Amino acid sequence: MIDQADKLRRLMKKSKNEKSTEKNKSEKRAKVLAITSGKGGVGKTNFALNFSISLQKLGYEVIIFDADVGLANVEILSGVNLKSSISDIILLNKDINEVIAKGPEGIKMVSGGSGLKELALLNEENMLKMLKEIKKLQSTADFIIIDTGAGISSVVLDFVMASDEVIIVTTPDPTSIMDSYTLIKSLSSYGFKEKLNIITNMVDDKSEGKEVFNKLNNATFNFLRIQLNYLGYIERTNIINNAVRNQIPFIVSNPNSIVSKKLNNMTINYTSNRVIKEDNENKSFAEKLLHIFSRRGER
């Protein structure tokens, strides 16, 4: 009987062969950005959703992928009912275009559903189909925003490891800072080498936002020799609380508010400092996920 690792290695070879036949074609390659956190309740999904909309308003094509397995937080916060999920590609033989839904301000939304945990257990035919459909996402957008679950589960770490870059959302709560450190330590042990960006959320002011970042950055540098990148802060405000209750992203409901303007400036700064590079043997997001699952099969 062929083991799981061998099956996945053969799929990777098939994917590579197919790719080599198309290497002369010009293909858009979205930047895949994982937004994650060490613990729940820090506003990760709310940031991911509003950040995605801000990118879209700047003229980028954006897809937000809800990879928080078994939950539907992006769906709830956006007020959009995602009737299909990535699992339906296998279960109902849908293609990715049938799974994508239109979200606020024109962003595209994809639900991971509850089937992502079983991705590595699919048979060869279904795994290859899933791979091809996920690849389509990266060729139709400028950014794919992955809203992961919180914590350091294997599913969370797999999605972050397959991404080009990561944003970690933390708060002044000491447990949030400590859990963010634990997440960074786990990523480091997995060999993550890309930029680690930090957002400090639910702070009282600019000073507290920078103080929270400094605490986390000092710990990661002193013990892990990792330097973090500070993207900015988001203050506590009833505008955000009301937007969550009303299921309308605050950048849509209050576009001229201070918090929306700060987020837009943060987005502009982020995109203006983008470094485009070819890495990881030019593998796509889907191929990197497949590679991670094949390594898991060997463990």
Side-chain angles (χ1 to χ4, degrees):
M1 182 176 178
I2 300 173
D3 65 15
Q4 185 69 17
D6 185 64
K7 180 188 77 173
L8 291 169
R9 278 193 294 268
R10 288 191 292 108
L11 282 173
M12 289 172 66
K13 185 176 180 180
K14 280 187 182 180
S15 176
K16 185 175 180 180
N17 289 340
E18 288 178 1
K19 184 177 178 180
S20 66
T21 64
E22 299 179 354
K23 64 182 179 180
N24 292 326
K25 295 181 180 180
S26 177
E27 182 179 320
K28 180 184 284 189
R29 174 65 63 82
K31 179 164 188 174
V32 180
L33 178 59
I35 298 182
T36 190
S37 62
K39 69 187 292 289
V42 300
K44 166 186 61 64
T45 298
N46 198 35
F47 173 78
L49 178 60
N50 283 277
F51 183 71
S52 297
I53 295 170
S54 184
L55 283 169
Q56 185 82 19
K57 285 186 171 184
L58 286 177
Y60 296 101
E61 291 291 328
V62 182
I63 297 172
I64 183 166
F65 190 112
D66 188 349
D68 197 346
V69 177
L71 300 176
N73 289 335
V74 170
E75 183 175 348
I76 293 169
L77 292 177
S78 65
V80 175
N81 182 16
L82 299 180
K83 297 179 180 179
S84 299
S85 76
I86 202 78
S87 304
D88 292 333
I89 291 172
I90 303 304
L91 299 176
L92 301 178
N93 201 35
K94 292 185 176 183
D95 65 40
I96 197 66
N97 292 318
E98 294 177 283
V99 172
I100 293 175
K102 188 174 182 180
E105 301 296 316
I107 64 170
K108 295 176 182 177
M109 304 171 66
V110 177
S111 170
S114 59
L116 292 172
K117 287 181 179 178
E118 288 74 41
L119 185 57
L121 303 178
L122 296 175
N123 63 40
E124 183 173 330
E125 180 182 358
N126 285 342
M127 178 65 91
L128 192 58
K129 178 175 175 61
M130 181 76 79
L131 176 66
K132 287 179 178 178
E133 295 302 316
I134 293 178
K135 271 186 177 181
K136 290 179 184 178
L137 290 179
Q138 204 165 358
S139 64
T140 58
D142 299 301
F143 286 94
I144 298 176
I145 306 299
I146 308 292
D147 178 38
T148 78
I152 56 172
S153 72
S154 60
V155 174
V156 170
L157 294 176
D158 285 345
F159 271 99
V160 175
M161 291 298 296
S163 300
D164 299 315
E165 206 169 306
V166 62
I167 294 177
I168 298 172
V169 180
T170 190
T171 72
D173 185 337
T175 61
S176 177
I177 298 172
M178 187 64 225
D179 288 342
S180 295
Y181 172 81
T182 302
L183 171 61
I184 294 167
K185 183 177 179 180
S186 298
L187 290 172
S188 176
S189 68
Y190 267 56
F192 189 77
K193 301 295 184 183
E194 307 305 329
K195 185 182 287 187
L196 292 165
N197 301 286
I198 303 297
I199 291 290
T200 54
N201 194 24
M202 303 180 188
V203 300
D204 290 332
D205 51 32
K206 180 180 180 180
S207 177
E208 185 179 39
K210 194 61 185 289
E211 180 184 356
V212 170
F213 170 75
N214 286 337
K215 286 180 181 178
L216 181 57
N217 190 46
N218 289 339
T220 58
F221 184 77
N222 290 335
F223 295 104
L224 304 174
R225 285 294 180 259
I226 294 174
Q227 185 72 47
L228 306 176
N229 180 54
Y230 186 46
L231 279 189
Y233 68 99
I234 297 176
E235 294 171 316
R236 298 178 188 273
T237 170
N238 284 331
I239 289 174
I240 295 178
N241 296 335
N242 292 334
V244 170
R245 279 194 290 267
N246 295 327
Q247 295 179 266
I248 304 173
F250 67 80
I251 203 167
V252 175
S253 62
N254 294 85
N256 296 318
S257 64
I258 293 175
V259 66
S260 294
K261 289 178 179 179
K262 283 184 177 178
L263 178 60
N264 285 330
N265 287 335
M266 192 187 303
T267 307
I268 291 170
N269 290 335
Y270 173 78
T271 54
S272 65
N273 292 325
R274 287 179 67 198
V275 176
I276 300 173
K277 65 177 183 176
E278 299 294 331
D279 59 2
N280 203 11
E281 298 178 341
N282 204 29
K283 290 186 178 72
S284 70
F285 170 65
E287 289 168 327
K288 285 189 277 187
L289 261 185
L290 191 59
H291 176 65
I292 287 166
F293 281 123
S294 72
R295 288 172 57 195
R296 186 195 292 176
E298 292 170 346
R299 292 197 288 268

